[in-house]
Amino acid sequence: MSSEFVRIWRFTGARGPSAARKVAVVLLALGFAIPQGAVLKAQDGGQVARAAPSAPAQIATPSSPSPSSISDLYLINPYDELDVYVYDVPELSHVYTVSPAGSVTVPLLLDPIPAAGLTPDQFAHSLEQAFQKSGRLRRPVIAVSVRQSRFLAVTVDGAVRNPQVITAMSPAKLVDILTQCGGIADDAGTNVTITRGPLALRDLARQGRQEVATASTELKKALDGRDPASRIIVWPGDRVSVGRAGVCYVLGEVRSPGGFALKNGHEELTVLRALALAGDVTSVAKKNKALILRNDPKSPNGRDQIKVDLPGILAGHTPDPVLQANDILFVPGSSSKKALRTLTGVPASALGQAGATALIVH
């Protein structure tokens, strides 16, 4: 590894502590560890004694930003864990936790060094300046990376097999993130929504692209490797939500009223299928008064009432309409018939004179 460091160092023509830190960060991001004896010494520009272990494993292969893009865009937060590598001074190369006040206390430095709100590279430069000013190190070369942060994670919820919060140290393809969660669930709908976090918005702004806080695409396209939608990038700090297929409800004069989940976003549930799932209508149902209640923000009460010609559908004379997610199929009943049905089968002795009169009326 020492020879590889020398080759890159000489090829880039890097000079000075700042350039050394940049080369070191690139090597660490590429997965190289810089062992004791590597070239470029922190104190005199000769050799680096040792670097800390290689950078943390990533959840997925980055799909377009450079390895140092997180260091360029991520802003350190309180409680973050930072890997600080001070070349030629292994005693100072440790994992440091940012205090609630946003600073880091480092041995040999009398005052805590502010870290919150800086990128890892900016914080590394601040540490170099602090060591130089203190006189403790003559030519410090420092690399900083984020080992752990509650902000470097992707939250995945909705219709996936294993909803979870995934630690993410780099951008990844949407399909890779969904794979980490075991794939989509059986009741997944047709769309997936990505709510962008601060890192993604900063990257979009840096690229001169439109800053969209929420992006939605068809799930089928996102999973198709031949479709451009499959190359959608998810950044640490984003939230991925896979919509569910939804539920349709059958209420009123049916034998088994309730909600019935669609198996997937492409399943069509018609009125007749919904009635079959609900056990068909009862004997007191008013089939010619059936309604579909559908969410509609434009309606005065927030729901649109759609008349259903249930007798015509049952006879095959009228098309069988398809229900949408959250639709309510309501079949009303006849109150007089319902009352008669309630009295049917009750012993006459229990009814008394009032019950006999009711039966005569009906």
Side-chain angles (χ1 to χ4, degrees):
M1 185 58 241
S2 175
S3 61
E4 182 68 13
F5 190 95
V6 173
R7 186 180 65 81
I8 296 178
W9 175 259
R10 291 176 177 173
F11 177 78
T12 57
R15 296 293 184 272
S18 179
R21 174 164 48 82
K22 287 291 184 180
V23 173
V25 169
V26 171
L27 288 174
L28 290 169
L30 290 174
F32 295 116
I34 306 175
Q36 185 170 1
V39 173
L40 185 64
K41 195 170 185 178
Q43 299 303 306
D44 57 12
Q47 274 196 329
V48 168
R50 181 175 57 190
S54 57
Q58 300 173 351
I59 63 164
T61 302
S63 44
S64 78
S66 63
S68 61
S69 56
I70 291 294
S71 295
D72 295 338
L73 294 171
Y74 180 74
L75 302 182
I76 297 172
N77 293 275
Y79 305 105
D80 283 357
E81 292 184 5
L82 307 177
D83 267 323
V84 177
Y85 308 134
V86 183
Y87 293 101
D88 199 37
V89 189
E91 296 80 7
L92 297 178
S93 298
H94 296 292
V95 176
Y96 296 88
T97 300
V98 183
S99 71
S103 60
V104 174
T105 300
V106 181
L108 301 184
L109 297 179
L110 298 179
D111 300 320
I113 307 302
L118 301 177
T119 67
D121 283 347
Q122 290 172 339
F123 178 58
H125 185 62
S126 294
L127 285 177
E128 290 173 350
Q129 290 183 324
F131 276 117
Q132 284 181 325
K133 185 177 180 180
S134 68
R136 301 291 185 178
L137 300 177
R138 289 186 298 167
R139 296 181 180 178
V141 178
I142 300 175
V144 175
S145 62
V146 182
R147 175 178 289 269
Q148 185 173 348
S149 172
R150 56 181 177 175
F151 296 95
L152 287 179
V154 175
T155 302
V156 186
D157 56 23
V160 292
R161 297 190 182 279
N162 185 22
Q164 59 183 294
V165 177
I166 302 175
T167 301
M169 300 301 294
S170 67
K173 289 183 179 179
L174 173 61
V175 65
D176 294 335
I177 294 296
L178 294 176
T179 301
Q180 290 288 323
C181 297
I184 61 174
D186 294 335
D187 62 342
T190 57
N191 292 330
V192 56
T193 301
I194 302 174
T195 304
R196 295 300 187 184
L199 278 177
L201 294 177
R202 289 192 201 112
D203 184 52
L204 291 172
R206 184 178 67 169
Q207 297 178 21
R209 297 163 57 188
Q210 184 180 3
E211 299 180 28
V212 181
T214 302
S216 182
T217 187
E218 292 185 30
L219 186 58
K220 182 179 180 180
K221 293 181 178 179
L223 298 177
D224 185 355
R226 297 167 297 179
D227 195 285
S230 66
R231 296 190 290 272
I232 292 177
I233 299 300
V234 177
W235 274 85
D238 289 355
R239 175 183 290 271
V240 177
S241 301
V242 179
R244 298 189 182 277
V247 178
C248 292
Y249 302 88
V250 184
L251 304 177
E253 287 302 323
V254 292
R255 300 187 186 281
S256 301
F260 302 93
L262 301 176
K263 292 182 180 179
N264 55 65
H266 302 284
E267 180 186 27
E268 291 188 348
L269 184 63
T270 64
V271 168
L272 285 183
R273 289 190 61 192
L275 286 177
L277 292 173
D280 205 355
V281 298
T282 65
S283 59
V284 298
K286 299 180 70 172
K287 298 177 183 178
N288 60 335
K289 297 294 183 180
L291 294 172
I292 295 176
L293 306 178
R294 180 167 295 165
N295 291 331
D296 184 4
K298 297 180 181 179
S299 298
N301 59 355
R303 286 187 183 276
D304 189 16
Q305 296 186 6
I306 305 171
K307 293 183 178 180
V308 178
D309 181 13
L310 194 53
I313 296 173
L314 291 171
H317 303 315
T318 304
D320 188 9
V322 177
L323 297 175
Q324 298 179 6
N326 299 318
D327 275 359
I328 299 174
L329 175 60
F330 177 68
V331 183
S334 171
S335 58
S336 59
K337 289 183 179 180
K338 187 183 298 185
L340 178 60
R341 185 182 64 177
T342 303
L343 294 174
T344 301
V346 179
S349 59
L351 291 174
Q353 184 62 36
T357 302
L359 288 174
I360 291 172
V361 171
H362 288 292

